Amino acid sequence: ESISHEIRTPMNAIIGFAQLLNYETNSRKDVKEFVNYINKSGNSLLLIIDNILDVSSLKSGVLNVYESKLILNELFKRVMDMFDHDTHEKDIAIVVDNKEETRDLIILTDGARLRKTLFQLVNNAIKFTEKGNITFGCFQNGDFLEFFVHDTGIGISDLDKDFVFNVFRKGSFKGEKLYGGTGLGLSIAKASIESMGGKIWLKSEEGIGTEVHFSLPFKLYSHTS
């Protein structure tokens, strides 16, 4: 039921705002806003579908990894651009802290899985943060690249910390505000990172915020790779 709702919500938004684009009375500002909502809903829907497909792979015990070159600076720019509209709707600022930016690294990794994992973690941070900052980036840590996403959101209880990486598990958040989601995101992120030879972990305090870190083997791309 949760997954059905999560699919229908962005689908209805895409259809609704696409229909609104037909009106000749729309201003350029209106059109831009409608297109932003369509893009946002399309990205949300794509992430949900990807997660459902990955759950099928998890059940079969196989998550395929396809390594190719990835420009690290372009990865962070793409994620930043994707969430620019979301942060304008809340009292939050999103900041890239790529400590390897000046090196302009080209790495060998499964770019699709890395992008989706980072997208999922930043998406979660925005979802559970009403004000403050969200910072994401990476740095070299020995033979690994360590990525991080920090937020000043609602945090995670000690009870939920033990379960957040479980399939279909969602936090038992207090208060009246309802948060969407399928409960798949972090479990898929964990499986993806581990299948790529890395690990993922988090630190969190209720009412203060959450830090999620994950590491991946640091492989520089070369033309012979």
Side-chain angles (χ1 to χ4, degrees):
E1 183 179 347
S2 173
I3 292 177
S4 175
H5 170 75
E6 292 300 321
I7 290 175
R8 287 178 181 275
T9 299
M11 272 302 302
N12 287 336
I14 291 169
I15 293 170
F17 284 110
Q19 290 174 340
L20 288 176
L21 287 173
N22 285 322
Y23 290 100
E24 296 180 358
T25 54
N26 290 330
S27 67
R28 293 186 67 179
K29 181 180 178 181
D30 289 336
V31 171
K32 184 177 180 180
E33 184 175 353
F34 297 160
V35 170
N36 279 336
Y37 277 115
I38 291 170
N39 284 333
K40 176 183 175 183
S41 299
N43 287 327
S44 297
L45 184 61
L46 184 60
L47 184 64
I48 293 166
I49 293 171
D50 278 348
N51 282 341
I52 292 171
L53 294 175
D54 277 342
V55 165
S56 299
S57 298
L58 273 177
K59 288 182 178 179
S60 69
V62 178
L63 271 180
N64 294 320
V65 174
Y66 302 100
E67 290 188 337
S68 61
K69 71 174 183 179
L70 181 139
I71 301 173
L72 203 57
N73 286 342
E74 289 186 359
L75 167 68
F76 289 114
K77 182 180 185 304
R78 182 172 177 180
V79 175
M80 187 73 169
D81 290 345
M82 195 173 293
F83 289 107
D84 184 57
H85 183 261
D86 297 60
T87 55
H88 289 166
E89 294 182 333
K90 289 186 171 185
D91 185 22
I92 55 178
I94 187 165
V95 179
V96 176
D97 184 17
N98 175 12
K99 301 183 187 304
E100 307 301 325
E101 181 178 9
T102 58
R103 296 170 67 186
D104 201 17
L105 294 176
I106 302 177
I107 61 175
L108 184 66
T109 189
D110 189 324
R113 291 205 175 279
L114 174 53
R115 277 190 295 270
K116 193 173 80 166
T117 298
L118 196 55
F119 178 92
Q120 180 72 63
L121 296 180
V122 175
N123 189 52
N124 279 1
I126 293 173
K127 183 189 300 183
F128 299 120
T129 302
E130 294 301 321
K131 61 181 180 178
N133 301 296
I134 292 164
T135 305
F136 68 99
C138 81
F139 58 91
Q140 185 178 353
N141 186 0
D143 295 330
F144 291 84
L145 276 177
E146 186 170 321
F147 295 80
F148 56 87
V149 179
H150 299 176
D151 68 55
T152 56
I154 61 175
I156 302 170
S157 70
D158 290 337
L159 175 64
D160 285 325
K161 285 177 191 175
D162 295 331
F163 300 101
V164 291
F165 292 113
N166 291 3
V167 177
F168 297 114
R169 178 74 184 205
K170 296 173 67 176
S172 53
F173 303 111
K174 298 177 182 178
E176 297 180 358
K177 185 173 177 63
L178 297 176
Y179 296 94
T182 60
L184 297 175
L186 287 177
S187 59
I188 297 299
K190 181 175 187 292
S192 293
I193 295 306
E194 290 180 350
S195 70
M196 296 161 67
K199 63 179 181 178
I200 186 170
W201 65 98
L202 63 80
K203 295 185 290 184
S204 186
E205 187 174 346
E206 280 190 281
I208 302 297
T210 301
E211 297 182 15
V212 183
H213 292 247
F214 66 91
S215 61
L216 291 175
F218 179 35
K219 303 178 187 177
L220 279 174
Y221 173 80
S222 68
H223 293 294
T224 57
S225 297

